Amino acid sequence: MPPGRDRGGRGGGGDRGGRGGGGRGGGYEGQSRGDRGGGFAPRGRGDGGRGARGGGRGGGGTLEFYSLPDKSVPIPNAQVAKTEDETLKKPASTAPTKATKTLPDISQLSLKTNFPPRPAYGTRGTAVTLWANYFQMIPNGDVKLYRYAIDTVPAVIGKRKQRRLVELLVEETPLSILKPHIATDYGTTLICQREIPESDLEHGIVYKDEREDTPGPRATSHRVKLQQTGIFTIAELVSYLTSTRVDAAFPNKDEVIQSLNIVVGHHPKTAPLIMSVSNKHYPVQGQSAEYANLGAGLIAWRGYFVSVRAAAARILVNVQVKHAAAYQEGSLVELMGEFKAADRSNTLLQLERFLKRVRVQTTHLPAKKNKAGMTIPRVKVISGLATKSDGQGLPHPPKVESFGAFANKVEFYLDSTPSTPETVAPPSNPKGGKKGGKKSGQQGSQPGPATGGSGTYITVAEFFRIRYNLTVNPQFPVVNVGNKANPSYLPADVCIVLPGQPADAKLTPDQTANMISFAVRNPKANATSIVGRGLASLGFDPQNATLAKFGIAVSKNMITVPGRILVGPEVKYRGTKSAKTSFGSWNMNQIQFTKGSNIGPWAIMKINIDGFRTLLDDTGFLGQTKLNFRNALAANGVIAPPPIDIPDLVLTRESNYEDIIDDRFSKIPKMLPNVKFLLIILPKVDTGIYNRIKYCGDVLYGLHTVCVVASKFGKLKLNRQNGQNEPDLQYFANVALKFNLKKGGVNQSLDKSKLGIVGEGSTMVVGIDVTHPSPGSATNAPSIASMVASTDGQLGQWPAVLRIQAARQERVADLDDLLVSRLKLWQVKNRQYPDNILVYRDGVSEGQYNMVIEEELPLLQKACKENYPADAQKRGLPKISIIVVGKRHHTRFYPTSDETGKIDTRSCNPVNGTVVDRGVTEARNWDFFLQAHTALQGTARPAHYYIVHDEIFAKAAVRPPFLNTADVLEDLTHNMCYMFGRATKAVSICPPAYYADLVCTRARCYLSRIFDATPAASTVGGGGNDPQQNEVRIHPDLADTMFYI
């Protein structure tokens, strides 16, 4: 959950109303936030009334900003600025010097770079100094890093066991003498500050659990081998970063950065009171621990992301506040009760998905202690609930009444009747079993026929009553801590959920609200956390022993960087009218769209849910609301005849709403063949209903649909001037934005001069994105690729095309076909192909930049080569530039002053239009950060733009008022952020990338059976049939429209 939200930029009302549902999509109906406990038994009663609670938001209404105790503001590093400037001035070397065996002069090395060099730094805008959430790394001397790959034979299954083997390697082999000089990721890599002798590169290790003095009788043996994969010096990296040769290269840069990340991350990963997930670390105990109750058995932890970054003239460490959901520690009975109480409609299937892979400590057996007197916990991992198909290959399979059966409904085979606790033995296991034998109440891994006596079946509840004198709660299902083939059952009563377990779960709406309440804080609060608890948790302040041994220190203060505040463009509407912008936002009072549209015959349909009343059930009030909305359309420049009323569609809570919606949509083209536009009034937010409407309209029947929620559509607002209740015209205007775009209109525009080469009309702007399966998706869920493209220089219309492809594949497989479809549409609109193609590529990480150039660019070029006429190709057309848009980075900026015009007085963030291309970037790369939007709450996240290929800008003439190419591209990108047609405000990322993201989101609606799968589908057999391309193929009547708005 990001600490800041671009709530303003996503603007627009209406259609979003139908898409509620909570964190990561897909919410629950009928939320119940109290009535804790109750179990999963029919009519179980709760024994409390506590609901979910969230943490405080922090911050207040006063103008606050982060500052040092003495209020001073350090000047941005002058040496960094000097290096940046001198790098731009020096030409590339034509005769590189060969490397020698001694430490080379990095500035003399030359390799062909994959990405275009930075042409200049931007100059436009009001200068401002900002804090950045980076800390300078200070290496002490010529530190060497010896990197080793860790190979385990035989390999272990699971990261936890692999981690334990690496711990044993470092702590209990002759290698332990080097432990203070070792850092590791506890997975595949080990970094040592000294070279490890060849005799210590391979060790035999017998696995044992933490706190065990000696391995158990069934412990596995492993050979752990270390293979040296590199020797690096930090001085080499520093030399490269301080070099001013534009063509200087350091082939090992990424490997050194990776090694430093392992060194920096070693301390928090080793600390016992920190929950680590990759490079994110969450203190779960002690003074630095901060958490909030999310409800339904989850809590939120506040932690810190850390990453080593290369920048001009220095190495930086990026630290950012992060938040993660984790399981509530303590009684498993209480966890189950919290989960059920949060929503009475939660099923046993949902409970199983929620509990899968949760680690629990058992309490029914006597405690084991090591020689130091420390308790050795008995830890098990929940694989699921009991099912009727468990252990079917066993000689005596368990008898389970139904899925998720309770302890008195699950029987297992016991080879002798437990008459008294003293005489009862666990079930026999003549064929051998897991380490330590079988635990009571469990079936062994290979249970066979009874030996030496008659056996019998016994319930889990009865066994625990006789064997341990425990009466288990009959309202909760037993958990399987074995597997499906060899089940081992435990009642929830004897299980304690261990702390610090991340939950990769889809959040409910209530949990999402609680997470936001905890995570969204003002910029000062986040900055203060970073330099306080963050540095302490990561072991930077005070310096931890590992960093000290490696000769590395990290500064205690955030760096400052120079920024500039760009002036936003004048937003134009019909005629000569312009909007007055404030904080990057404006309203459409007495203004009409730049190009209105004619809706043609359209209809309104209201959906009712049996027993759910809304204010629009009053037919008189509904009629007046329809009239008010039609008047609002006209006021905004949309021509709309009186709508046709379609009979209400009534759904019951038990009905199959998909079939009912399908049936109604199938009849509309027959009853109303001329109607191509539907306004659908929903009784409330319902993701399932919304998804089906969009699938029927966009894919099956070719009908534009806009969904509104009755409570918002019929809302009246008090006019303080006349004291009358009047329609919410702002909401109507937001809905009108979507009407107009869907029907080919242009909502707002900019002067051509503000769009530079794009405004000349010969440049097609393209947005590309790929979305992947999320937690809760079915196992056969695909990835989805989308492309949008402008149709002219006005940038008002962005028709789209999309495809499904292999899951988790970031490369767009059919990119050439997608581009051909956009080129042909451009040709239809403009009678020729575009001279330039400017691509904003969303959704790729830094490690995938090369993939864009090596795999996607050739497909774009192929599409052009096969379609452009020969004479155009001889002239070098089209010219292609590709800019990667980064949204999921961890860079944040904070104001250093409350000076007017240099701080957003409402949220204490930097002012919208802030651009940064110095201080946190590399001199040789062409990238910049741009915060075009205003964040209404939380800490604003700027977009990161990285130019990976350029044929358009660097060689083009720079015209006044611009001084260089960097100014041209930064200004163009910033101005385009005012052209997002669904909102009357500047948005956080450039519209082509934003639109492409919306297309992917819409495709997830079509495949909701896959992406919002049932628990059984997501964990067992998939979401039905594999998804097909025709499920996301837009109906021909809508194919060249902005159907996805």
Side-chain angles (χ1 to χ4, degrees), residues 274-505:
I274 292 179
M275 176 181 75
S276 292
V277 183
S278 185
N279 54 357
K280 295 176 280 291
H281 311 284
Y282 305 88
V284 295
Q285 293 181 37
Q287 293 183 345
S288 294
E290 297 178 271
Y291 71 96
N293 186 0
L294 297 182
L298 295 182
I299 57 176
W301 289 105
R302 181 169 292 136
Y304 303 91
F305 164 91
V306 62
S307 177
V308 178
R309 312 280 301 174
R314 56 186 171 180
I315 305 171
L316 298 176
V317 180
N318 181 206
V319 180
Q320 169 61 3
V321 177
K322 299 295 291 183
H323 298 86
Y327 290 98
Q328 169 186 301
E329 65 177 283
S331 164
L332 180 59
V333 168
E334 185 171 344
L335 180 69
M336 287 181 172
E338 291 274 4
F339 181 77
K340 181 63 177 178
D343 188 343
R344 289 294 180 184
S345 67
N346 277 336
T347 65
L348 288 168
L349 277 171
Q350 290 169 314
L351 176 66
E352 180 182 63
R353 180 170 65 177
F354 177 69
L355 295 178
K356 206 172 187 68
R357 293 183 295 277
V358 171
R359 299 172 68 245
V360 296
Q361 179 179 341
T362 61
T363 62
H364 62 290
L365 295 175
K368 293 192 302 181
K369 294 189 176 182
N370 59 20
K371 294 178 182 178
M374 302 174 67
T375 299
I376 302 173
R378 291 181 170 90
V379 178
K380 299 293 180 182
V381 180
I382 298 174
S383 64
L385 304 183
T387 72
K388 299 184 70 172
S389 59
D390 285 348
Q392 291 303 299
L394 300 175
H396 299 284
K399 296 179 181 180
V400 180
E401 183 177 274
S402 60
F403 172 75
F406 304 147
N408 59 346
K409 302 296 183 181
V410 176
E411 299 181 32
F412 67 94
Y413 187 79
L414 190 65
D415 57 5
S416 61
T417 302
S419 57
T420 66
E422 289 76 22
T423 61
V424 175
S428 64
N429 186 17
K431 296 184 181 180
K434 296 181 181 179
K435 168 187 162 185
K438 301 176 297 298
K439 303 293 183 279
S440 298
Q442 303 175 11
Q443 191 122 0
S445 60
Q446 294 265 347
T451 58
S454 61
T456 184
Y457 276 91
I458 185 172
T459 67
V460 173
E462 184 69 5
F463 181 84
F464 272 80
R465 184 188 66 79
I466 297 173
R467 177 66 167 168
Y468 299 106
N469 196 29
L470 289 175
T471 301
V472 301
N473 192 322
Q475 293 186 338
F476 292 89
V478 300
V479 293
N480 184 357
V481 294
N483 54 48
K484 202 167 186 63
N486 296 288
S488 299
Y489 302 120
L490 287 174
D493 311 61
V494 300
C495 297
I496 299 295
V497 179
L498 296 175
Q501 297 188 69
D504 189 15

Side-chain angles (χ1 to χ4, degrees), residues 542-768:
Q543 182 187 36
N544 68 73
T546 300
L547 291 183
K549 285 293 184 182
F550 277 83
I552 294 173
V554 177
S555 65
K556 306 303 186 291
N557 293 324
M558 291 192 296
I559 66 170
T560 57
V561 297
R564 291 167 287 112
I565 303 172
L566 302 180
V567 177
E570 184 181 33
V571 182
K572 294 182 173 295
Y573 283 89
R574 180 173 296 182
T576 59
K577 296 210 171 176
S578 299
K580 182 179 181 181
T581 61
S582 175
F583 294 100
S585 178
W586 63 95
N587 63 55
M588 290 185 58
N589 185 31
Q590 298 183 338
I591 292 177
Q592 292 190 337
F593 297 132
T594 296
K595 176 186 173 185
S597 58
N598 189 332
I599 300 301
W602 63 297
I604 295 180
M605 181 175 71
K606 188 161 73 74
I607 294 180
N608 300 325
I609 295 179
D610 188 29
F612 193 93
R613 301 284 297 171
T614 75
L615 72 169
L616 292 182
D617 291 338
D618 183 319
T619 55
F621 183 66
L622 174 62
Q624 185 60 50
T625 301
K626 292 177 182 178
L627 179 61
N628 293 337
F629 176 64
R630 183 171 168 239
N631 292 336
L633 288 176
N636 286 286
V638 176
I639 300 174
I644 299 170
D645 289 325
I646 297 178
D648 291 359
L649 184 64
V650 180
L651 306 177
T652 65
R653 297 184 185 277
E654 295 77 25
S655 63
N656 185 329
Y657 64 84
E658 290 189 354
D659 289 346
I660 296 175
I661 293 172
D662 287 0
D663 179 69
R664 175 59 62 87
F665 267 83
S666 69
K667 294 176 180 177
I668 292 175
K670 301 173 185 177
M671 297 187 303
L672 304 169
N674 294 326
V675 169
K676 295 297 181 182
F677 206 113
L678 296 179
L679 174 67
I680 299 177
I681 303 174
L682 303 176
K684 62 176 181 175
V685 170
D686 190 296
T687 304
I689 294 174
Y690 177 88
N691 289 345
R692 201 62 190 176
I693 288 171
K694 292 304 175 182
Y695 180 66
C696 287
D698 296 351
V699 177
L700 295 183
Y701 300 105
L703 299 172
H704 281 301
T705 57
V706 171
C707 297
V708 294
V709 178
S711 59
K712 294 182 178 180
F713 192 63
K715 180 180 179 181
L716 298 177
K717 296 180 69 175
L718 176 65
N719 186 325
R720 297 185 181 279
Q721 293 182 345
N722 58 25
Q724 300 294 315
N725 286 323
E726 298 178 350
D728 188 346
L729 297 181
Q730 184 60 52
Y731 182 82
F732 285 169
N734 287 336
V735 179
L737 292 171
K738 299 180 180 185
F739 268 64
N740 199 45
L741 290 177
K742 286 175 180 285
K743 292 300 291 185
V746 177
N747 286 351
Q748 68 254 37
S749 59
L750 302 180
D751 189 274
K752 289 184 177 181
S753 64
K754 296 299 181 181
L755 294 175
I757 195 171
V758 173
E760 295 173 4
S762 60
T763 299
M764 183 172 75
V765 186
V766 175
I768 301 172

Side-chain angles (χ1 to χ4, degrees), residues 145-215:
L145 305 174
Y146 295 86
R147 187 182 66 183
Y148 297 87
I150 303 173
D151 183 34
T152 304
V153 181
V156 294
I157 299 176
K159 293 180 179 180
R160 189 171 296 277
K161 286 190 174 182
Q162 176 65 19
R163 176 191 174 92
R164 181 60 185 153
L165 276 180
V166 176
E167 287 176 347
L168 293 171
L169 170 70
V170 175
E171 295 172 359
E172 300 195 8
T173 70
L175 199 62
S176 62
I177 195 172
L178 291 175
K179 181 181 177 181
H181 307 277
I182 287 176
T184 176
D185 61 1
Y186 291 103
T188 60
T189 307
L190 182 148
I191 308 296
C192 191
Q193 194 252 334
R194 299 178 181 178
E195 187 165 19
I196 299 175
E198 190 172 344
S199 59
D200 283 336
L201 294 179
E202 183 173 344
H203 297 275
I205 297 177
V206 181
Y207 187 89
K208 66 175 181 178
D209 287 328
E210 189 178 3
R211 294 189 182 182
E212 283 186 335
D213 295 315
T214 58

